[in-house]
Amino acid sequence: GDIRLSLPEDLPATIRAVIETRSSSIDDYELRSDFPLEITKRRHAGRRGRGEIRGVGDINGGGDVIELRTVEGNITIRSLP
């Protein structure tokens, strides 16, 4: 399912977020973040509909790791003032 996370804008953290797709197209899902993340999409060769969207990055210099993982859902990361 979908994941929605709100974080203080000045929180130092390392984000690792993954959306796995199993039957639907990878293009049907989105990883959105108010923080700068490197977002990549990878389709698994020979596996119709399977793939992953991955977002990683340090916010405010990095810190504790926050891991988010979902199957067939969207991930939204918002910044709180």
Side-chain angles (χ1 to χ4, degrees), residues 13-17 35-38 55-60 62-64 66:
T14 297
I15 303 290
R16 295 182 186 149
F35 299 98
L37 299 179
E38 181 180 334
V56 295
D58 290 335
I59 57 174
N60 298 309
D64 291 335
I66 298 172

Side-chain angles (χ1 to χ4, degrees), residues 18-76:
V18 177
I19 299 169
E20 291 182 41
T21 63
R22 294 189 176 162
S23 59
S24 300
S25 170
I26 196 170
D27 296 322
D28 292 341
Y29 300 97
E30 189 172 23
L31 194 160
R32 292 176 293 244
S33 176
D34 290 343
F35 299 98
L37 299 179
E38 181 180 334
I39 298 174
T40 58
K41 290 184 177 185
R42 187 179 85 184
R43 288 176 173 80
H44 298 298
R47 296 181 155 200
R48 187 174 149 261
R50 295 209 177 207
E52 72 176 25
I53 302 170
R54 182 176 296 268
V56 295
D58 290 335
I59 57 174
N60 298 309
D64 291 335
V65 176
I66 298 172
E67 290 194 46
L68 308 169
R69 181 176 292 274
T70 187
V71 176
E72 308 255 333
N74 297 302
I75 296 177
T76 303

